[in-house]
Amino acid sequence: YVALPRGEEPLWIVSVSRDSPGIALGTAAGVVKRVVPDYPGKGEWEIVSLKDGDRVVGAVELSSGEEDLVFITSDAQLLRFRGASVRPQGRTAGGMAGIKLAAGQRVV
């Protein structure tokens, strides 16, 4: 049903209502993004622009926008923050810094 390029896998499938507070996602490089879908119609569309070597490691549909979000790193660090502190961005934006990583570490 969805044509994905070779090597890409679905991470999360959601059916977001028009009044939803959106989707929050995090990447291995520590980027966080909150996006309110704008329903572009049929066809494929990106939800985040990733830098080379980065990938999405978690995504969640928000129910209120007041949820807590968490990053856990490969060296066992944890950062918990309010989802409301992440300003919503457009689909093509790259997100914002979520957690500062030590050299060689990543978000898991």
Side-chain angles (χ1 to χ4, degrees):
Y1 294 102
V2 177
L4 295 174
R6 184 177 297 259
E8 287 193 16
E9 300 176 356
L11 178 66
W12 190 264
I13 298 174
V14 295
S15 176
V16 182
S17 66
R18 293 197 182 275
D19 61 344
S20 169
I23 299 166
L25 57 90
T27 75
V31 172
V32 63
K33 182 172 180 183
R34 184 172 150 207
V35 62
V36 178
D38 57 1
Y39 303 96
K42 294 183 179 181
E44 64 182 67
W45 45 279
E46 292 182 11
I47 195 166
V48 63
S49 296
L50 297 171
K51 292 185 179 179
D52 288 340
D54 199 4
R55 65 184 181 90
V56 175
V57 294
V60 64
E61 180 179 358
L62 302 171
S63 59
S64 69
E66 296 299 318
E67 293 84 356
D68 286 343
L69 302 174
V70 176
F71 274 123
I72 300 173
T73 67
S74 54
D75 62 343
Q77 302 297 311
L78 183 140
L79 175 66
R80 177 179 162 198
F81 55 97
R82 303 290 294 170
S85 68
V86 180
R87 73 180 188 287
Q89 297 178 315
R91 286 186 297 107
T92 58
M96 58 189 271
I99 188 169
K100 188 172 182 173
L101 298 169
Q105 304 305 311
R106 59 184 168 69
V107 173
V108 295

